Structures are given as structure tokens and as C-alpha cells.
Amino acid sequence: MNTIRREGIGVTESVECADDLYPTRSVTTSVPFRRHDPVVWSDGDDAARGPLSAEEVAAYDRDGFLAFDALLDPAEVDECRREMRRMATDAALRSSGRVVAEPDSDDIRSVFEVHRHSAVFERVVHSGRLADRARQVLGSDVYLHQSRINYKAAFDGSKFGWHSDFETWHSEDGMPAPRALSFSVALTDNLPFNGPLMIIPGSQRTFVPSVGRTPPGYHKLSLLGKNLPAGPADRTAVAALAERHGIRQFTGAAGSAVMFDCNCLHASGGNVSPFPRTNLFVVYNSVDNRLTRPYAAPEARPQYLADRTFTPVPRAEDRPSR
Amino acid sequence: MNTIRREGIGVTESVECADDLYPTRSVTTSVPFRRHDPVVWSDGDDAARGPLSAEEVAAYDRDGFLAFDALLDPAEVDECRREMRRMATDAALRSSGRVVAEPDSDDIRSVFEVHRHSAVFERVVHSGRLADRARQVLGSDVYLHQSRINYKAAFDGSKFGWHSDFETWHSEDGMPAPRALSFSVALTDNLPFNGPLMIIPGSQRTFVPSVGRTPPGYHKLSLLGKNLPAGPADRTAVAALAERHGIRQFTGAAGSAVMFDCNCLHASGGNVSPFPRTNLFVVYNSVDNRLTRPYAAPEARPQYLADRTFTPVPRAEDRPSR
């Protein structure tokens, strides 16, 4: 057992925990505390080795995110959109649990593990435009922890409440440290009013524990986003962080992207507009941050939600030329 | 019976109707058609008489709305906010039906007829800053058709789907023509992500009939905004108009306001942010456009939703000096 000093907002306490630096879903208090780990894991020459400028790396360290105007070009976007339409109607995928429908309709909400079921998406997630940036910030080789397409239907698209992805991946997937990051790539225009991604800048430095225990089979429920007993961030903490740091809402044309730290508090509103919104979501984890047993769940989630093959994304120099 | 030529989007049809230029909720088709009436009802010298410039009047005519940065000053906003907090907890108001709670919680969604239950709000709705602009555009004296405060709670504030207010006021209140307009006055900051008002510019020129009949006692249900059988605009029409004209989302500091035609298609998203949103909503109708019997409802709505005293708002020159 270790004793960890947790510096909360106006509170400092010491808690006992079994080698768990980020206790959540099983603690009696939900006091937010300062992250124990770096945001940028590379340093010195390593931090400069990659497509990101020193200014971009510093901004990522400070804010927890970077936005890019045109990470994919229009031809790639078109190809991805054709592919996502194909996958949404793929009967084998639907019956495998990888396609999640909206709770109140037959509309698609998410399709998981798209990089294993589509050569198009495999190419995108292996692209240096994403993977080299991830390696530069995480300071190591990386593997695909998760990939998915998030659909947000016109008129009725539902919201995602405030949460840290790392809180879920730590609890339910056994991810030891926040040494992972995500790309959210717009496959349709992300407008101010069709439920775009919102992040509280700087929130990646604070870990906000969630209350409530994880019930068995929880991922089937939690992916629908309704009445969650565990996972959502404490609202008092969210309000305090948003009051201090504000909220950044990301809009951009199809092909634009946001790269963000796994512990950023983020959310997205519903979509009441007639314009549907679709994003590709890609998560890279450091090969030095392999999953163990879940820290706060009775069982690990399926492979398509949390990859346990840990195969490094090949670097450009290792890839066969086409 | 009259025969009206209805020019829809790609369709022209003739329908029989009993002196009803805007048939809705009882017609077999829901083909949108061109508005029969003007948007700006004054002309010549009259249109120039008032606080709005010729350019502003022309923009209102074209878009259906005008936005103002600081219609109320900070001291007035503070006074309104104190007053709205008082009214939300007023037991007599709550038991009178004028306070509407959210369907899934005890949070307040709306308080109606605020100008009759508060000297503060009466002063605001009688102010020349609102009423003179309304008179200038509507080309006559005006009276208060409705006033209300709309609350949108933090985290869980619910959406309002796309609709034309005139469609409801015509159907359920017997308002003959679209010779009315609303002010939505921000009493808290309206941010891109706390469910601000959205309007489809130019949509005031198209009447989009609603399908479904009005059941008895419908206002008690419709104010909650859930699963409405009548009132919401046809989604195909909304999508077509938004595709052609785009969507304008209104953000602004507390004290800012939007003045918009009663037939504008408008909506607002839910609020997933930690920042609640509160707006004062004030509707002026022309004294020459008095309510008759409802055009498409079994009975008229209560006084606090649709005033039938038709008392003109006093002009500055008629008001006693204080």
C-alpha cells in the first residue's frame, strides 16, 4: 500500500491505495487532485523530433490539446465517409456489438474498432500525420488503444456529458497512467450548433474521481450515455474548472482535427440542427503504458473497446513501400 | 370559403379554407408556402419613425431579425436577475400554472406573464427600447401578447426544437396574421455552448404547416417540449430552408437581445455546459391583429399565455412622468 498526498481544490488529504495513483469509483471522497504524471512525456531532443513545433508542444502541455485545420485532405474525407456508410450497414459488424445504436431510435451512435475492419481507416490511423504527433508527445512508440466513428444525428443527436477518458480507461481497461491521447477528426463540418467537441483547457492537470462503482457488463450501458452510475465527472469540479479556465469549443470543416490528452475534461452537446455530425476518434497509448487488470471494474472490456495486442503502429521507415 | 394558391418548395397547390390564410394542423399536406403578409408593416415615413435606422429596417425585412449588443444596461440586468430569482420561488405563481418545471426534475423551465407580476419586468416591456422598435416594424400600436422568462439549467438544460411561434399562436391563440414579434433578452451570457437561440435567416417568409391535430389541454404538454403531436415544424422543410439560408446562432453578454419576426423558424440546443442560461422573452402583437377564436385547437389558451385584454403599451408621450 502507498500513501498518496492528494491536493484537491482547497483540500489536501492523504489516502491509502494499492499502487493506484488515480483512485476512482471506489473511494469515499471525490476530491479532485493534481495529476502525478507529465502531459508531454518526451523531453529535450526527443520533444523536438516530430511534426509539432516547440510552440505547439508547449501549447499542448499547457492546454491539453492542439487543433489542426486540415489534417485530412478532401479526397481522404470523401473516402472515409463512403467507408463509414458502408460499415454502418455491415450486418456482421452490427451483430458483433461494434455498432451501437441510439437508445431511443435505430440511428447509429458509434462504430468501434474501425481500423481493424477497414483498410481505409487502417491507413488513416497508421498515417504519420496522426501517429508521429502521438509519438512525439508520448515519448515512445504507440499502439491503437481504440478507434471509433461517432455519429451525431440531425435534430435528435444526443449529448455526451463531461468526463475524462482516462478515468474510464483506468477504471475499466486497466490503463496505468495518463500516457495516451486521442484524435477527433471531423468527417463532416463541425459547426457551433451541431454538437461539436468541448474541452476545458488545462483540465488535463487535474484528476477528477468519479463516484459510484462499476457494475458488471457496464460498457454495454455506458456506451449509450444514459443515467450512468459511474464515469461522469463530478459536476462541482467541472463547474469550478470551467469557471477558472473557460471552455473551448472546436469547430472546423471536414478534415480538421483536435488532438487531446486522455485526461482532458470534455463533453459535447446534443444536435438540434438539421446538419448531422460525424467524427473519427482514434486513441493512441504508449507501448510503455500497457493495460493491466482494471483498477475499478469487475472485468476488462472487450478487445474492440480496449486493444490488448499492444502492436506498435509501424513508423514510416519500417513500413513497406506501396 | 376561399381558395388560396400555395407556392411550396417545388410544389404549387390550391386548397380550400375558411378565411384562414395560414392553414395548419388540420390539412392533409404539410407543403410550406410563401407568407401572404409583409414582414415590415409600416412604410414610407412611418418606417423611418423610430429608433431603427433604414438599414436596420431593411435587414429585419430580409433576415427576420435584428441583434442588439446592449439593450439593457448592467444595472437593469442585475435587477431583472434578482426579480427572476424571486419569482421562481413565489408560491402563488407556482400554484397558478405560470411556473413550468422541467419534465425530469424540479428545475424551472419557464415563468409566464412576468410583466403582470413584477414592476421590474413591466418597466422593461414598456420601455421604448423594446416597444418603439416593435411599433416601428409592426406599423401600429402594440400590446403584450405574452411575456416569460426561459431558464436553461446547467448540465441538463433541455432543447427547444424547430418551430414558428406564429404557427402556435395562430393555431392555439387565434392570431390572424404574422404581425407580431418577439424580443429575446439575455439575462445571463448567451454562449455558443449553453443553448443560445438559433434562427434560419429568411425563414419568416415561408409558412411551414405542422402536421397532427391539437389535443385538448395541449398547452400543458407542449410547454414541456416533449414528444409533441403538433407544433414542431416539418423536418424536411427545416432542413431545406437551413440548407439554403444557413443558421444564425446568437451569442452575447447579458443585456444583449434579438428582436425577431413571429414566423421565423427557430430552435435552441440543450445545455451541457456548467453555465446556466436565462432569457427574458417578450412578445408584442399589433393592436390591429387581435386574437379571434383559435384556428386549429379545441379551446383558447389561458390569459397568461395569450393576453386578450389587448391594452396598448403606452407611448412615451402618454406616460406619466416619474
Side-chain angles (χ1 to χ4, degrees):
Chain A
M1 299 287 275
N2 297 329
T3 301
I4 296 174
R5 200 174 129 85
R6 292 164 61 183
E7 295 174 47
I9 296 171
V11 181
T12 302
E13 58 171 11
S14 293
V15 291
E16 297 292 317
C17 58
D19 295 328
D20 180 0
L21 289 173
Y22 297 95
T24 180
R25 303 197 192 184
S26 56
V27 289
T28 48
T29 63
S30 61
V31 179
F33 58 90
R34 188 171 296 277
R35 174 187 183 126
H36 306 292
D37 294 295
V39 175
V40 173
W41 291 72
S42 55
D43 51 20
D45 287 351
D46 275 355
R49 201 165 292 138
L52 298 174
S53 69
E55 290 71 28
E56 286 178 312
V57 172
Y60 181 91
D61 191 45
R62 181 190 67 229
D63 298 331
F65 60 78
L66 285 172
F68 305 102
D69 275 347
L71 200 69
L72 300 189
D73 66 37
E76 290 172 306
V77 169
D78 283 349
E79 195 177 23
C80 287
R81 287 165 59 92
R82 275 196 302 275
E83 194 68 357
M84 86 195 189
R85 281 193 291 270
R86 180 188 70 73
M87 297 180 84
T89 55
D90 183 307
L93 272 181
R94 288 200 90 139
S95 62
S96 75
R98 286 169 180 77
V99 178
V100 179
E102 288 281 357
D104 302 325
S105 75
D106 238 11
D107 290 340
I108 306 294
R109 185 179 168 102
S110 302
V111 179
F112 283 89
E113 204 179 49
V114 294
H115 68 291
R116 285 190 192 275
H117 297 273
S118 157
V120 171
F121 288 118
E122 186 190 27
R123 234 173 8 252
V124 171
V125 305
H126 282 188
S127 151
R129 281 166 293 172
L130 283 73
D132 286 345
R133 286 174 163 90
R135 283 185 282 253
Q136 186 176 0
V137 162
L138 299 179
S140 70
D141 267 318
V142 297
Y143 72 92
L144 259 292
H145 173 63
Q146 187 190 93
S147 72
R148 69 171 187 255
I149 297 170
N150 284 332
Y151 297 78
K152 192 163 298 207
F155 295 110
D156 292 321
S158 55
K159 66 182 180 182
F160 275 89
W162 294 95
H163 65 287
S164 148
D165 288 330
F166 174 65
E167 194 281 335
T168 293
W169 300 337
H170 184 68
S171 298
E172 301 184 36
D173 299 337
M175 184 182 284
R179 193 172 179 176
L181 60 79
S182 304
F183 280 85
S184 177
V185 184
L187 298 182
T188 57
D189 291 353
N190 277 228
L191 304 163
F193 39 73
N194 68 352
L197 177 67
M198 296 182 278
I199 294 180
I200 299 176
S203 60
Q204 80 279 7
R205 299 223 174 265
T206 300
F207 185 77
V208 178
S210 177
V211 293
R213 287 179 174 274
T214 315
Y218 185 51
H219 67 274
K220 288 171 202 150
L221 177 67
S222 69
L223 298 178
L224 298 176
K226 296 207 104 175
N227 304 319
L228 302 179
D234 176 70
R235 290 183 168 189
T236 307
V238 170
L241 286 163
E243 194 62 53
R244 199 190 320 161
H245 298 296
I247 291 174
R248 170 76 183 269
Q249 188 186 56
F250 298 91
T251 55
S256 65
V258 183
M259 162 184 172
F260 61 104
D261 179 85
C262 60
N263 191 46
C264 282
L265 284 174
H266 63 291
S268 64
N271 183 15
V272 71
S273 90
F275 306 118
R277 194 213 70 160
T278 308
N279 283 13
L280 169 67
F281 189 72
V282 181
V283 185
Y284 298 97
N285 189 24
S286 168
V287 294
D288 299 329
N289 192 37
R290 291 177 174 217
L291 307 185
T292 64
R293 57 156 187 70
Y295 287 82
E299 79 265 316
R301 299 195 300 173
Q303 168 75 21
Y304 65 84
L305 295 177
D307 194 290
R308 288 178 182 272
T309 57
F310 312 123
T311 316
V313 175
R315 289 175 182 257
E317 59 264 33
D318 304 331
R319 265 175 247 153
S321 58
R322 296 178 193 247
Chain B
M1 297 288 272
N2 297 328
T3 300
I4 296 174
R5 200 175 129 82
R6 292 166 60 183
E7 295 173 49
I9 296 170
V11 182
T12 302
E13 57 170 10
S14 294
V15 292
E16 297 292 317
C17 58
D19 295 328
D20 180 0
L21 289 171
Y22 297 95
T24 180
R25 305 198 191 183
S26 55
V27 290
T28 48
T29 63
S30 62
V31 180
F33 58 90
R34 188 172 295 277
R35 173 186 184 127
H36 306 293
D37 294 295
V39 175
V40 173
W41 291 71
S42 54
D43 50 19
D45 287 352
D46 275 357
R49 203 165 290 138
L52 299 174
S53 69
E55 291 71 29
E56 285 177 313
V57 172
Y60 181 90
D61 191 45
R62 180 189 68 230
D63 298 331
F65 60 78
L66 285 172
F68 304 102
D69 275 348
L71 200 70
L72 300 189
D73 67 36
E76 290 172 307
V77 169
D78 282 350
E79 195 176 24
C80 287
R81 289 165 57 92
R82 275 196 302 277
E83 194 67 356
M84 86 194 189
R85 281 192 291 270
R86 180 189 68 75
M87 296 179 85
T89 55
D90 183 307
L93 273 181
R94 287 200 90 140
S95 61
S96 75
R98 286 169 179 76
V99 178
V100 178
E102 289 281 358
D104 302 325
S105 75
D106 238 11
D107 290 339
I108 305 294
R109 185 179 168 101
S110 302
V111 179
F112 282 89
E113 205 180 46
V114 294
H115 68 290
R116 284 191 192 276
H117 298 272
S118 157
V120 170
F121 288 118
E122 186 191 26
R123 240 182 352 260
V124 171
V125 305
H126 282 189
S127 150
R129 280 166 292 171
L130 283 74
D132 286 345
R133 286 173 163 89
R135 282 186 281 253
Q136 186 176 0
V137 162
L138 299 179
S140 70
D141 266 318
V142 297
Y143 72 92
L144 259 293
H145 173 64
Q146 188 190 93
S147 71
R148 69 171 187 256
I149 297 169
N150 283 333
Y151 298 77
K152 193 163 294 207
F155 295 110
D156 290 321
S158 54
K159 67 182 179 182
F160 276 88
W162 294 95
H163 65 286
S164 147
D165 288 330
F166 174 65
E167 194 281 334
T168 293
W169 300 336
H170 183 67
S171 298
E172 301 184 35
D173 299 337
M175 184 182 284
R179 192 172 179 177
L181 59 78
S182 303
F183 280 85
S184 176
V185 184
L187 297 183
T188 56
D189 291 352
N190 277 227
L191 304 162
F193 38 72
N194 68 352
L197 177 67
M198 295 182 278
I199 294 180
I200 299 177
S203 60
Q204 80 279 7
R205 299 223 174 264
T206 300
F207 186 76
V208 179
S210 177
V211 294
R213 286 177 174 276
T214 315
Y218 185 51
H219 67 275
K220 287 170 202 150
L221 178 66
S222 69
L223 297 178
L224 298 176
K226 298 208 104 177
N227 305 317
L228 301 180
D234 176 70
R235 289 183 169 189
T236 306
V238 170
L241 285 163
E243 193 62 53
R244 199 190 319 160
H245 298 295
I247 291 173
R248 170 76 184 269
Q249 189 186 58
F250 298 91
T251 55
S256 66
V258 183
M259 163 183 172
F260 61 105
D261 180 85
C262 60
N263 191 45
C264 283
L265 284 174
H266 63 291
S268 65
N271 183 16
V272 72
S273 89
F275 305 118
R277 193 213 71 159
T278 308
N279 283 14
L280 169 66
F281 189 72
V282 181
V283 185
Y284 298 97
N285 188 24
S286 167
V287 293
D288 299 328
N289 192 37
R290 288 176 177 220
L291 307 186
T292 64
R293 57 156 187 67
Y295 287 83
E299 80 265 314
R301 300 195 299 172
Q303 168 76 18
Y304 64 85
L305 295 176
D307 193 290
R308 288 179 182 270
T309 57
F310 312 125
T311 315
V313 175
R315 290 176 181 258
E317 58 264 34
D318 306 330
R319 266 176 246 152
S321 58
R322 297 177 192 246

